[in-house]
Amino acid sequence: MILRSSYAAIRPANPLLVSQTLSSSNEIYELGFFSPNNSQNQYVGIWFKGIIPRVVVLVANREKPVTESTANLAISSNGSLLLSNGKDGVVWSSGETFASNGSRAELSDTGNLIVIDKVSGKTQWQSFDHLGDTILPFSTLMYNLATGENRVLTSWRSYTDPSPGDFMVKISPQMPTEAFIMNGSTPYWRSGPWAKTRFTGIPMMDETYTSPFSIQQDANGSGSFTYLHRNFKLPRIKIEPEGLLTISRHNGTGWVLNFKAPVNTCDYYGVCGPFGLCVMSAPPKCKCFKGFVPKYSEEWKRGNWTGGCVRRTELHCLGNSTGKDKNVFLPVANIKPPDFYEYASSGDAEECHQSCLHNCSCMAYVESEIGNPRLGIDFDCGFLEEKIWRNE
């Protein structure tokens, strides 16, 4: 049996041993060595202190467990965190070095492991820049097109194996952004575009929804998603090994699930194929938009809807047409805009309508609450078979 002692900080002369833990100042979070399946494999992780069973929110050495009882987590004089596995040497490091006269590592009450310069007091490295499968309040998903940086969530391989799994959560660089669950490189679920305080494709996020999220995007190609929930104790967003995205909180006696996705057939990305509409009946089923028919009728009848729908008759681009050949838009309520949308600057609903009507590459439009312009749904005619319209 290992008797654990608690540390206030990791310093060059005081590494963290297997038998020790590092606690945040108010003992909300704890860092130490753990084994998720009671094997000899040990990982350095951060978890909620005092919550049983243990809930790990970050793992440092996801792909390289240590097995030696002499393993330790140390900090070098130049501020780099080093995980050593006894005689095997360093198996993981933070990968950062700094011109420093000495540094220490502390665990904050937000669950952020911070490396601090001894002289300046500045943060040299923080774990919030290196997420695992969990977002905590004040940690951030982000992208930067200029630098190529993407901060995402990655699921565990299984509930007992913290190595990177198949599922990833990211925000897209579209304007406005939306959240995606990816299964490898394939979209698995999406939230719909962001509109001021909510994601438009999540039914529970209606006009009355009080959002715990903050979205920032700029014209330079960078964006961020931050979880800001202050009303609950120990809230978290997590991507589970099987691809389920959950938002939960601890009420003092147990975990309460506030949100999960996907939860039904209609939640899965592209289940009805191009120009298909998923109806959340019992059981869920797909149908084609008015004026469209199944592309593969026999497959459609068998419940394989991925082939989607095609137009019954060819659409001619006649923006100024009249009479029986006049093109019109049919309103469709309670659907997500397709993910290949384009932000269109239009003064009002009628201008948005006319802009799309006179643009031969525009298939549809939607009014959005993202600000004064509207959100146009714009497609390039030359890519309709590849940039396919998907309505989940």
Side-chain angles (χ1 to χ4, degrees):
M1 180 179 179
I2 297 177
L3 297 177
R4 294 187 177 273
S5 61
S6 184
Y7 250 44
I10 301 172
R11 304 176 188 275
N14 302 103
L16 188 76
L17 307 180
V18 171
S19 59
Q20 297 170 325
T21 61
L22 177 67
S23 297
S24 64
S25 59
N26 288 315
E27 300 197 338
I28 299 172
Y29 293 94
E30 190 171 44
L31 177 144
F33 290 81
F34 77 100
S35 175
N37 54 359
N38 295 318
S39 71
Q40 288 186 326
N41 290 337
Q42 294 278 333
Y43 299 87
V44 172
I46 298 171
W47 54 83
F48 296 108
K49 186 168 185 176
I51 301 297
I52 299 174
R54 176 184 290 154
V55 174
V56 177
V57 298
L58 182 71
V59 181
N61 54 321
R62 296 183 69 170
E63 298 180 84
K64 295 182 178 180
V66 296
T67 55
E68 299 291 331
S69 61
T70 54
N72 67 83
L73 180 65
I75 187 168
S76 66
S77 59
N78 59 13
S80 181
L81 290 168
L82 305 172
L83 176 62
S84 299
N85 187 31
K87 63 180 182 296
D88 294 330
V90 176
V91 297
W92 176 88
S93 78
S94 60
E96 305 281 351
T97 58
F98 309 92
S100 172
N101 292 318
S103 304
R104 68 183 186 276
E106 295 181 353
L107 185 60
S108 75
D109 280 327
T110 62
N112 191 13
L113 180 63
I114 305 171
V115 174
I116 303 169
D117 181 78
K118 182 175 69 173
V119 177
S120 68
K122 293 182 178 180
T123 297
Q124 297 177 309
W125 180 92
Q126 60 178 358
S127 61
F128 272 10
D129 291 339
H130 308 273
L131 300 179
D133 67 343
T134 300
I135 298 178
L136 298 173
F138 308 108
S139 59
T140 301
L141 297 179
M142 59 83 69
Y143 66 85
N144 187 314
L145 298 180
T147 63
E149 183 181 1
N150 278 289
R151 192 178 303 156
V152 303
L153 295 185
T154 308
S155 69
W156 285 24
R157 177 64 58 186
S158 72
Y159 284 98
T160 58
D161 181 358
S163 64
D166 295 329
F167 293 94
M168 177 181 70
V169 178
K170 67 174 186 176
I171 57 170
S172 72
Q174 294 160 291
M175 183 76 78
T177 190
E178 59 181 327
F180 277 85
I181 300 175
M182 305 294 291
N183 184 355
S185 60
T186 303
Y188 184 70
W189 172 88
R190 66 189 184 92
S191 65
W194 178 255
K196 284 187 178 177
T197 59
R198 62 192 180 94
F199 289 108
T200 55
I202 299 178
M204 66 174 281
M205 295 186 186
D206 59 16
E207 291 80 0
T208 65
Y209 183 71
T210 302
S211 176
F213 312 126
S214 172
I215 297 284
Q216 302 292 330
Q217 289 183 282
D218 62 35
N220 298 320
S222 65
S224 64
F225 165 94
T226 306
Y227 187 39
L228 298 173
H229 220 309
R230 300 182 180 91
N231 297 330
F232 296 130
K233 181 182 179 182
L234 309 184
R236 59 181 174 136
I237 301 174
K238 181 184 179 185
I239 180 65
E240 305 286 352
E242 69 274 21
L244 193 67
L245 183 65
T246 60
I247 302 178
S248 58
R249 60 185 173 88
H250 200 272
N251 65 4
T253 59
W255 290 99
V256 177
L257 183 66
N258 295 112
F259 171 81
K260 64 178 179 179
V263 294
N264 62 61
T265 300
C266 289
D267 281 342
Y268 294 101
Y269 182 91
V271 66
C272 294
F275 297 100
L277 178 65
C278 192
V279 180
M280 288 196 292
S281 56
K285 61 182 179 181
C286 293
K287 70 176 186 178
C288 295
F289 285 107
K290 187 175 181 179
F292 290 77
V293 294
K295 186 174 183 179
Y296 305 110
S297 57
E298 292 304 316
E299 288 295 315
W300 191 272
K301 291 175 184 177
R302 285 195 286 265
N304 180 5
W305 303 307
T306 55
C309 307
V310 293
R311 291 190 181 276
R312 191 185 306 273
T313 56
E314 184 180 355
L315 178 68
H316 298 284
C317 185
L318 300 170
N320 296 318
S321 63
T322 59
K324 67 176 183 178
D325 293 326
K326 181 180 180 180
N327 291 335
V328 296
F329 293 104
L330 297 175
V332 184
N334 301 319
I335 66 168
K336 298 177 192 176
D339 54 340
F340 295 104
Y341 53 80
E342 183 176 299
Y343 184 80
S345 180
S346 300
D348 55 29
E350 180 59 25
E351 185 178 337
C352 185
H353 174 106
Q354 292 297 329
S355 296
C356 189
L357 185 64
H358 290 81
N359 182 346
C360 292
S361 66
C362 187
M363 299 288 100
Y365 71 93
V366 61
E367 295 181 59
S368 177
E369 301 170 0
I370 59 174
N372 57 338
R374 297 299 192 259
L375 176 66
I377 305 305
D378 201 352
F379 288 82
D380 183 345
C381 285
F383 295 92
L384 277 177
E385 290 303 314
E386 296 172 335
K387 296 176 74 174
I388 52 180
W389 178 302
R390 296 182 182 272
N391 279 284
E392 298 98 307

